[in-house]
Amino acid sequence: MEDDAPAAAALPVDLVLEIAARSDPATLLRCAAACRALRLGAASPVFHRGLRLRHAGGEGGRFVPALLRGFFHQRRRRAEGEDPRFVDPLLPRGAPSPEPFRSFLSEYTDLFEFYAPAAARGGLVALRSSNPDEEEEPSVVTTCTSMGVCDPMAGSLEFFRPPGISAHSHVLLSHGCDGIGCRFRLVAANLQSPQADDRAACCCLQTQAYSSDTGAWGPITETWVPGLPRGAEFVRPAALVLDGVAHWLCMSSDHQSYCVLTFSSKASPTVTVTVIREEDDGDDHCRRLHGRKPEELLLVSSPVEGRVSLLVAEQGLEISLWTADAAGSCWTRQVMVDTEKVRQAAAPMELPLDGKRELRWFGEKSGGVLRVVEPVRGCSLYFMLGMGTGRVRMLCRFCRDRDVLVFFPYEMDLSFWRPKITPNVIVHR
């Protein structure tokens, strides 16, 4: 629908919105992004009240007006015409996802053959170049760029040059809203350790922020981090973001000690370090964490008090939650999900206790954790764990998971829509 379409050729806006409201969140978002009139109508409080009443009455059965979550995936060796797809975890098990990526980014279905997701938050996805050949650029960009931010639901893309530092992690921050028309900051971070012969020096956190308001990278900032173990590094590049503050799980070079590095840039850059000490161990070594792979450790928010906590995929299918006390002096461990609960969620399929285990992502708004278990037969099972309820639900099954080109979870809050039209593609030189 176009803003200048003849009135006789267009359905009334309220009728189009009523039809979209009876579908699913993704369809409604695409409808709202079609033109200014639909976006204004979808953003109105009256329309939102209708959605809440419809959900409360059970009509439709699966529309959740407050939140949309799921994940995009695309096969490396896809058949002709096969696009990246959005998997909705609210669909019944075995039901095919109705949303190909084409419905979100139209002709940009080859985007992930050149760009890899660096972070996904607030309804936006940060992208970095995955093309080793700098001279070969994707067809959607005509200038030398290697980073970008896209809004999958509205179909907007904003490309820009990379930061001036070699980033180990990217943190995506939105300005108090999610989704359509949202302003954002993308923080590139690099953790540097002192030279081996410099015993007195401490680690340094390099950061640089890109702002959608200015369309440019800000200055490079260096913040010294006392208390971080020598040779410390990020366990995994993804950061946990709570109230605009980033938290990284770090480990020492000998993999004997772990800590949480907290970074805030709200006023002036500040950092704190919280060492993870087991409740029954006073030597600063987390013996239960020894031998754990990076994909088996994930920072999350505790379901009760919202504290920064650590989720650990332990032996078998068990998942434990580590939470620090108020002083941060010791961490208590409790079993969150036992082996039997995961097996019941996967029934009738039998899960081996020695299969690959991976914690993919924590939803900061939904409190859900996405977990992957790879059985012996080469298929991966995807589960959603609710942190607040402890419930485990199997989402889908992918065979030949190594053939997946790109995978990234997605979550946005639908209550912060902004009725603003943005260009499809913006390129900052």
Side-chain angles (χ1 to χ4, degrees):
M1 177 182 291
E2 301 291 340
D3 287 341
D4 56 352
L11 292 174
V13 169
D14 56 350
L15 179 57
V16 174
L17 288 174
E18 179 64 23
I19 294 172
R22 295 177 179 273
S23 57
D24 57 86
T27 300
L28 180 55
L29 277 170
R30 293 198 324 319
C31 174
C35 71
R36 189 179 306 277
L38 288 173
R39 196 169 301 192
L40 286 169
S44 71
V46 175
F47 183 69
H48 283 188
R49 276 198 300 272
L51 288 177
R52 285 193 292 269
L53 290 174
R54 175 172 284 114
H55 177 60
E59 185 176 338
R62 71 183 193 88
F63 191 94
V64 182
L67 190 67
L68 169 67
R69 65 177 180 267
F71 58 90
F72 289 96
H73 75 96
Q74 177 183 350
R75 293 200 306 168
R76 188 181 305 276
R77 299 168 185 167
R78 52 180 176 156
E80 184 177 356
E82 182 182 6
D83 301 321
R85 301 193 70 84
F86 178 71
V87 177
D88 184 350
L90 297 179
L91 286 173
R93 185 194 294 189
S97 172
E99 300 300 335
F101 201 66
R102 176 177 295 163
S103 64
F104 300 100
L105 288 179
S106 61
E107 69 267 29
Y108 306 129
T109 54
D110 62 346
L111 184 68
F112 296 113
E113 295 180 10
F114 301 94
Y115 287 86
R121 186 173 181 271
L124 302 175
V125 181
L127 305 170
R128 57 177 175 79
S129 175
S130 60
N131 186 4
D133 187 353
E134 291 294 336
E135 296 182 359
E136 183 180 353
E137 292 296 328
S139 58
V140 298
V141 187
T142 58
T143 182
C144 182
T145 59
S146 64
M147 290 214 69
V149 170
C150 75
D151 181 345
M153 296 303 172
S156 62
L157 294 166
E158 182 170 342
F159 291 100
F160 42 86
R161 292 185 177 275
I165 62 174
S166 178
H168 297 163
S169 175
H170 294 88
V171 182
L172 193 55
L173 304 172
S174 56
H175 290 274
C177 69
D178 278 5
I180 300 172
C182 182
R183 294 152 46 216
F184 65 87
R185 291 177 69 240
L186 179 64
V187 179
N190 176 18
L191 191 59
Q192 294 185 323
S193 295
Q195 298 295 327
D197 56 352
D198 192 354
R199 300 290 180 180
C202 56
C203 295
C204 174
L205 180 67
Q206 273 191 333
T207 56
Q208 189 176 13
Y210 176 90
S211 171
S212 62
D213 290 336
T214 62
W217 290 94
I220 298 174
T221 302
E222 293 187 345
T223 308
W224 298 103
V225 190
L228 204 61
R230 178 173 294 275
E233 58 186 20
F234 296 140
V235 172
R236 55 200 302 175
L240 170 69
V241 181
L242 299 176
D243 297 326
V245 177
H247 309 268
W248 290 278
L249 178 65
C250 302
M251 64 181 175
S252 59
S253 57
D254 59 3
H255 296 194
Q256 295 293 309
S257 61
Y258 292 80
C259 60
V260 177
L261 172 61
T262 299
F263 170 74
S264 175
S265 60
K266 291 183 176 180
S268 59
T270 58
V271 294
T272 57
V273 176
T274 304
V275 178
I276 299 179
R277 296 183 175 91
E278 289 189 59
E279 188 178 30
D280 55 352
D281 193 351
D283 63 359
D284 296 353
H285 290 180
C286 304
R287 303 191 185 280
R288 287 183 183 270
L289 301 185
H290 291 179
R292 297 274 74 81
K293 299 177 181 179
E295 60 267 22
E296 296 173 341
L297 304 172
L298 182 66
L299 286 184
V300 299
S301 173
S302 62
V304 179
E305 298 179 323
R307 293 180 182 174
V308 177
S309 303
L310 178 63
L311 209 62
V312 182
E314 302 203 22
Q315 297 298 326
L317 303 172
E318 189 174 274
I319 299 178
S320 63
L321 180 69
W322 296 44
T323 306
D325 59 15
S329 57
C330 69
W331 293 60
T332 57
R333 171 186 171 273
Q334 67 180 78
V335 175
M336 185 119 194
V337 176
D338 57 24
T339 299
E340 185 58 30
K341 185 177 290 188
V342 180
R343 283 183 160 174
Q344 289 177 0
M349 178 174 289
E350 290 291 333
L351 295 181
L353 297 180
D354 58 349
K356 174 185 175 182
R357 304 172 305 278
E358 184 175 355
L359 300 171
R360 280 288 180 98
W361 167 79
F362 171 68
E364 296 154 16
K365 294 182 180 296
S366 64
V369 174
L370 193 63
R371 189 190 191 196
V372 182
V373 176
E374 184 176 330
V376 175
R377 286 171 285 182
C379 292
S380 296
L381 304 182
Y382 288 70
F383 296 86
M384 181 66 78
L385 163 65
M387 292 287 293
T389 62
R391 295 178 181 175
V392 180
R393 181 169 184 260
M394 181 175 147
L395 301 182
C396 59
R397 171 186 176 186
F398 288 152
C399 290
R400 296 195 310 169
D401 196 44
R402 296 175 184 175
D403 193 35
V404 174
L405 172 67
V406 66
F407 173 99
F408 66 93
Y410 183 84
E411 181 183 69
M412 73 172 295
D413 189 341
L414 305 188
S415 64
F416 290 105
W417 284 352
R418 287 192 170 188
K420 175 183 176 184
I421 296 291
T422 56
N424 275 348
V425 178
I426 303 175
V427 177
H428 296 289
R429 298 181 179 272

